Amino acid sequence: MEKQKNAIGRRKEAVTRVFISKGSGNITINGKDYKTYFPLVYLQNQVEAPLKSIESTDKYDIVINATGGGVKGQAEATRLGISRALLEMNAEYRPALKAAGLLKRDARSVERKKPGKKKARRSYQFSKR
């Protein structure tokens, strides 16, 4: 039986479950190739970032289930999930991933709307007369 590790990545409302195993470098998100799922190059770079930082783009096969949020949130959640899964595979990757800033969970999310306001902070237009 092949060793498979998994990890969770989160960003804004997006949650991704990442399953990683030794292989030939295939990355699949929700049953599609990651280049089809994320057609924009900068989002593809987000997904590839952890693998590039440890210089092993063709050593692991990765299967990802992504839910919630938008494409950017899902791409960044995927980046964190892959980084965490790589750590599970080999703890020696930690310094390289940490130096690239790939182990931090970006906690920023949308601020809630407050009563008496139009949005979270935007007030209604003031009328003097």
Side-chain angles (χ1 to χ4, degrees), residues 29 33-49 52 70-76:
I29 303 175
D33 183 59
Y34 80 105
K35 292 193 174 185
T36 313
Y37 194 83
F38 295 124
L40 299 171
V41 177
Y42 84 99
L43 295 175
Q44 292 171 14
N45 291 341
Q46 292 278 336
V47 175
E48 295 164 355
K52 283 182 179 169
V71 283
K72 188 171 193 290
Q74 285 188 355
E76 293 183 10

mmCIF file of all heavy atoms in Angstrom, residues 29 33-49 52 70-76:
data_model
loop_
_atom_site.group_PDB
_atom_site.id
_atom_site.type_symbol
_atom_site.label_atom_id
_atom_site.label_comp_id
_atom_site.label_asym_id
_atom_site.label_seq_id
_atom_site.Cartn_x
_atom_site.Cartn_y
_atom_site.Cartn_z
ATOM 1 N N ILE A 29 -7.773 18.787 -9.429
ATOM 2 C CA ILE A 29 -8.674 19.520 -8.534
ATOM 3 C C ILE A 29 -10.112 19.242 -8.964
ATOM 4 O O ILE A 29 -10.480 19.521 -10.114
ATOM 5 C CB ILE A 29 -8.397 21.033 -8.566
ATOM 6 C CG1 ILE A 29 -6.935 21.314 -8.207
ATOM 7 C CG2 ILE A 29 -9.332 21.767 -7.614
ATOM 8 C CD1 ILE A 29 -6.532 22.759 -8.316
ATOM 9 N N ASP A 33 -7.781 18.641 -14.324
ATOM 10 C CA ASP A 33 -6.388 19.061 -14.217
ATOM 11 C C ASP A 33 -6.351 20.492 -13.673
ATOM 12 O O ASP A 33 -7.217 21.305 -14.008
ATOM 13 C CB ASP A 33 -5.710 18.992 -15.592
ATOM 14 C CG ASP A 33 -4.234 19.344 -15.509
ATOM 15 O OD1 ASP A 33 -3.506 18.659 -14.779
ATOM 16 O OD2 ASP A 33 -3.831 20.334 -16.150
ATOM 17 N N TYR A 34 -5.348 20.816 -12.860
ATOM 18 C CA TYR A 34 -5.320 22.139 -12.231
ATOM 19 C C TYR A 34 -5.199 23.270 -13.235
ATOM 20 O O TYR A 34 -5.666 24.381 -12.994
ATOM 21 C CB TYR A 34 -4.225 22.215 -11.162
ATOM 22 C CG TYR A 34 -2.817 22.448 -11.664
ATOM 23 C CD1 TYR A 34 -2.201 23.676 -11.524
ATOM 24 C CD2 TYR A 34 -2.086 21.436 -12.266
ATOM 25 C CE1 TYR A 34 -0.908 23.893 -11.972
ATOM 26 C CE2 TYR A 34 -0.801 21.631 -12.711
ATOM 27 C CZ TYR A 34 -0.210 22.867 -12.568
ATOM 28 O OH TYR A 34 1.062 23.086 -13.015
ATOM 29 N N LYS A 35 -4.603 23.012 -14.417
ATOM 30 C CA LYS A 35 -4.482 24.059 -15.437
ATOM 31 C C LYS A 35 -5.819 24.348 -16.107
ATOM 32 O O LYS A 35 -6.039 25.444 -16.608
ATOM 33 C CB LYS A 35 -3.424 23.680 -16.465
ATOM 34 C CG LYS A 35 -2.038 23.694 -15.847
ATOM 35 C CD LYS A 35 -0.937 23.632 -16.848
ATOM 36 C CE LYS A 35 0.397 23.792 -16.125
ATOM 37 N NZ LYS A 35 1.535 23.861 -16.974
ATOM 38 N N THR A 36 -6.721 23.363 -16.093
ATOM 39 C CA THR A 36 -8.072 23.573 -16.615
ATOM 40 C C THR A 36 -8.930 24.269 -15.555
ATOM 41 O O THR A 36 -9.698 25.171 -15.858
ATOM 42 C CB THR A 36 -8.733 22.220 -16.973
ATOM 43 O OG1 THR A 36 -7.798 21.448 -17.708
ATOM 44 C CG2 THR A 36 -9.993 22.412 -17.785
ATOM 45 N N TYR A 37 -8.771 23.834 -14.307
ATOM 46 C CA TYR A 37 -9.567 24.382 -13.201
ATOM 47 C C TYR A 37 -9.208 25.837 -12.926
ATOM 48 O O TYR A 37 -10.073 26.659 -12.668
ATOM 49 C CB TYR A 37 -9.359 23.527 -11.943
ATOM 50 C CG TYR A 37 -10.366 23.777 -10.858
ATOM 51 C CD1 TYR A 37 -11.613 23.151 -10.881
ATOM 52 C CD2 TYR A 37 -10.085 24.635 -9.798
ATOM 53 C CE1 TYR A 37 -12.545 23.377 -9.885
ATOM 54 C CE2 TYR A 37 -11.013 24.863 -8.800
ATOM 55 C CZ TYR A 37 -12.242 24.234 -8.849
ATOM 56 O OH TYR A 37 -13.166 24.467 -7.868
ATOM 57 N N PHE A 38 -7.892 26.154 -12.946
ATOM 58 C CA PHE A 38 -7.419 27.528 -12.775
ATOM 59 C C PHE A 38 -6.787 27.987 -14.095
ATOM 60 O O PHE A 38 -5.583 27.831 -14.296
ATOM 61 C CB PHE A 38 -6.365 27.622 -11.658
ATOM 62 C CG PHE A 38 -6.882 27.300 -10.290
ATOM 63 C CD1 PHE A 38 -6.282 26.308 -9.529
ATOM 64 C CD2 PHE A 38 -7.950 27.989 -9.748
ATOM 65 C CE1 PHE A 38 -6.745 26.011 -8.248
ATOM 66 C CE2 PHE A 38 -8.422 27.696 -8.473
ATOM 67 C CZ PHE A 38 -7.819 26.703 -7.728
ATOM 68 N N PRO A 39 -7.589 28.566 -15.024
ATOM 69 C CA PRO A 39 -7.027 28.945 -16.327
ATOM 70 C C PRO A 39 -6.039 30.115 -16.250
ATOM 71 O O PRO A 39 -5.202 30.270 -17.125
ATOM 72 C CB PRO A 39 -8.247 29.315 -17.172
ATOM 73 C CG PRO A 39 -9.357 29.529 -16.210
ATOM 74 C CD PRO A 39 -9.026 28.791 -14.955
ATOM 75 N N LEU A 40 -6.121 30.936 -15.203
ATOM 76 C CA LEU A 40 -5.220 32.085 -15.088
ATOM 77 C C LEU A 40 -3.855 31.638 -14.566
ATOM 78 O O LEU A 40 -3.769 30.878 -13.606
ATOM 79 C CB LEU A 40 -5.816 33.137 -14.148
ATOM 80 C CG LEU A 40 -7.160 33.720 -14.592
ATOM 81 C CD1 LEU A 40 -7.760 34.582 -13.500
ATOM 82 C CD2 LEU A 40 -6.992 34.523 -15.864
ATOM 83 N N VAL A 41 -2.806 32.160 -15.201
ATOM 84 C CA VAL A 41 -1.442 31.711 -14.895
ATOM 85 C C VAL A 41 -1.045 32.014 -13.450
ATOM 86 O O VAL A 41 -0.411 31.195 -12.790
ATOM 87 C CB VAL A 41 -0.428 32.345 -15.875
ATOM 88 C CG1 VAL A 41 0.995 31.950 -15.519
ATOM 89 C CG2 VAL A 41 -0.739 31.920 -17.298
ATOM 90 N N TYR A 42 -1.441 33.187 -12.921
ATOM 91 C CA TYR A 42 -1.017 33.525 -11.561
ATOM 92 C C TYR A 42 -1.659 32.601 -10.528
ATOM 93 O O TYR A 42 -1.075 32.340 -9.474
ATOM 94 C CB TYR A 42 -1.262 35.005 -11.245
ATOM 95 C CG TYR A 42 -2.652 35.373 -10.780
ATOM 96 C CD1 TYR A 42 -2.927 35.532 -9.428
ATOM 97 C CD2 TYR A 42 -3.685 35.586 -11.681
ATOM 98 C CE1 TYR A 42 -4.189 35.886 -8.986
ATOM 99 C CE2 TYR A 42 -4.947 35.947 -11.252
ATOM 100 C CZ TYR A 42 -5.198 36.093 -9.905
ATOM 101 O OH TYR A 42 -6.450 36.435 -9.469
ATOM 102 N N LEU A 43 -2.837 32.064 -10.828
ATOM 103 C CA LEU A 43 -3.462 31.096 -9.921
ATOM 104 C C LEU A 43 -2.763 29.734 -10.026
ATOM 105 O O LEU A 43 -2.592 29.036 -9.023
ATOM 106 C CB LEU A 43 -4.951 30.952 -10.229
ATOM 107 C CG LEU A 43 -5.807 32.199 -9.979
ATOM 108 C CD1 LEU A 43 -7.235 31.976 -10.424
ATOM 109 C CD2 LEU A 43 -5.767 32.620 -8.527
ATOM 110 N N GLN A 44 -2.333 29.367 -11.234
ATOM 111 C CA GLN A 44 -1.568 28.132 -11.411
ATOM 112 C C GLN A 44 -0.257 28.223 -10.644
ATOM 113 O O GLN A 44 0.183 27.250 -10.025
ATOM 114 C CB GLN A 44 -1.280 27.890 -12.897
ATOM 115 C CG GLN A 44 -2.523 27.577 -13.713
ATOM 116 C CD GLN A 44 -2.254 27.547 -15.204
ATOM 117 O OE1 GLN A 44 -1.103 27.515 -15.643
ATOM 118 N NE2 GLN A 44 -3.317 27.559 -15.986
ATOM 119 N N ASN A 45 0.368 29.417 -10.659
ATOM 120 C CA ASN A 45 1.616 29.628 -9.916
ATOM 121 C C ASN A 45 1.410 29.461 -8.420
ATOM 122 O O ASN A 45 2.300 28.963 -7.720
ATOM 123 C CB ASN A 45 2.202 31.009 -10.220
ATOM 124 C CG ASN A 45 2.711 31.111 -11.645
ATOM 125 O OD1 ASN A 45 2.956 30.111 -12.304
ATOM 126 N ND2 ASN A 45 2.840 32.323 -12.128
ATOM 127 N N GLN A 46 0.240 29.895 -7.917
ATOM 128 C CA GLN A 46 -0.080 29.718 -6.492
ATOM 129 C C GLN A 46 -0.064 28.230 -6.135
ATOM 130 O O GLN A 46 0.474 27.829 -5.101
ATOM 131 C CB GLN A 46 -1.476 30.273 -6.173
ATOM 132 C CG GLN A 46 -1.612 31.764 -6.277
ATOM 133 C CD GLN A 46 -1.122 32.478 -5.045
ATOM 134 O OE1 GLN A 46 -1.085 31.922 -3.961
ATOM 135 N NE2 GLN A 46 -0.733 33.732 -5.211
ATOM 136 N N VAL A 47 -0.666 27.417 -7.005
ATOM 137 C CA VAL A 47 -0.757 25.971 -6.760
ATOM 138 C C VAL A 47 0.630 25.324 -6.828
ATOM 139 O O VAL A 47 0.957 24.446 -6.037
ATOM 140 C CB VAL A 47 -1.722 25.305 -7.778
ATOM 141 C CG1 VAL A 47 -1.732 23.795 -7.623
ATOM 142 C CG2 VAL A 47 -3.131 25.851 -7.604
ATOM 143 N N GLU A 48 1.463 25.783 -7.768
ATOM 144 C CA GLU A 48 2.793 25.197 -7.965
ATOM 145 C C GLU A 48 3.817 25.673 -6.944
ATOM 146 O O GLU A 48 4.851 25.020 -6.746
ATOM 147 C CB GLU A 48 3.320 25.553 -9.367
ATOM 148 C CG GLU A 48 2.515 24.959 -10.499
ATOM 149 C CD GLU A 48 2.811 25.639 -11.838
ATOM 150 O OE1 GLU A 48 3.567 26.634 -11.868
ATOM 151 O OE2 GLU A 48 2.278 25.177 -12.848
ATOM 152 N N ALA A 49 3.572 26.801 -6.284
ATOM 153 C CA ALA A 49 4.559 27.440 -5.404
ATOM 154 C C ALA A 49 5.203 26.504 -4.374
ATOM 155 O O ALA A 49 6.431 26.484 -4.259
ATOM 156 C CB ALA A 49 3.952 28.659 -4.726
ATOM 157 N N LYS A 52 7.582 24.087 -6.152
ATOM 158 C CA LYS A 52 8.760 24.769 -6.703
ATOM 159 C C LYS A 52 9.744 25.131 -5.590
ATOM 160 O O LYS A 52 10.954 25.074 -5.792
ATOM 161 C CB LYS A 52 8.338 26.033 -7.456
ATOM 162 C CG LYS A 52 7.764 25.739 -8.832
ATOM 163 C CD LYS A 52 7.404 27.011 -9.566
ATOM 164 C CE LYS A 52 6.867 26.717 -10.947
ATOM 165 N NZ LYS A 52 6.276 27.891 -11.579
ATOM 166 N N GLY A 70 -14.192 31.760 -3.834
ATOM 167 C CA GLY A 70 -13.995 32.015 -5.257
ATOM 168 C C GLY A 70 -12.707 31.366 -5.721
ATOM 169 O O GLY A 70 -12.035 30.674 -4.961
ATOM 170 N N VAL A 71 -12.340 31.629 -6.980
ATOM 171 C CA VAL A 71 -11.167 30.964 -7.537
ATOM 172 C C VAL A 71 -9.880 31.359 -6.828
ATOM 173 O O VAL A 71 -9.037 30.510 -6.553
ATOM 174 C CB VAL A 71 -11.018 31.200 -9.066
ATOM 175 C CG1 VAL A 71 -11.976 30.328 -9.842
ATOM 176 C CG2 VAL A 71 -11.184 32.637 -9.433
ATOM 177 N N LYS A 72 -9.733 32.647 -6.490
ATOM 178 C CA LYS A 72 -8.499 33.103 -5.823
ATOM 179 C C LYS A 72 -8.383 32.480 -4.430
ATOM 180 O O LYS A 72 -7.323 31.978 -4.044
ATOM 181 C CB LYS A 72 -8.471 34.628 -5.720
ATOM 182 C CG LYS A 72 -7.145 35.163 -5.210
ATOM 183 C CD LYS A 72 -7.093 36.673 -5.333
ATOM 184 C CE LYS A 72 -5.714 37.224 -5.130
ATOM 185 N NZ LYS A 72 -5.228 37.127 -3.771
ATOM 186 N N GLY A 73 -9.475 32.487 -3.682
ATOM 187 C CA GLY A 73 -9.483 31.875 -2.353
ATOM 188 C C GLY A 73 -9.164 30.398 -2.422
ATOM 189 O O GLY A 73 -8.400 29.872 -1.608
ATOM 190 N N GLN A 74 -9.735 29.707 -3.419
ATOM 191 C CA GLN A 74 -9.475 28.277 -3.568
ATOM 192 C C GLN A 74 -8.020 28.018 -3.937
ATOM 193 O O GLN A 74 -7.410 27.073 -3.439
ATOM 194 C CB GLN A 74 -10.405 27.664 -4.619
ATOM 195 C CG GLN A 74 -11.818 27.487 -4.108
ATOM 196 C CD GLN A 74 -12.695 26.710 -5.061
ATOM 197 O OE1 GLN A 74 -12.291 26.362 -6.166
ATOM 198 N NE2 GLN A 74 -13.911 26.442 -4.633
ATOM 199 N N ALA A 75 -7.452 28.870 -4.798
ATOM 200 C CA ALA A 75 -6.050 28.695 -5.197
ATOM 201 C C ALA A 75 -5.131 28.869 -3.990
ATOM 202 O O ALA A 75 -4.189 28.091 -3.789
ATOM 203 C CB ALA A 75 -5.686 29.685 -6.295
ATOM 204 N N GLU A 76 -5.408 29.880 -3.162
ATOM 205 C CA GLU A 76 -4.558 30.129 -1.993
ATOM 206 C C GLU A 76 -4.764 29.069 -0.914
ATOM 207 O O GLU A 76 -3.817 28.694 -0.226
ATOM 208 C CB GLU A 76 -4.798 31.545 -1.471
ATOM 209 C CG GLU A 76 -4.304 32.586 -2.468
ATOM 210 C CD GLU A 76 -4.445 34.022 -1.995
ATOM 211 O OE1 GLU A 76 -4.760 34.253 -0.819
ATOM 212 O OE2 GLU A 76 -4.233 34.913 -2.838
#
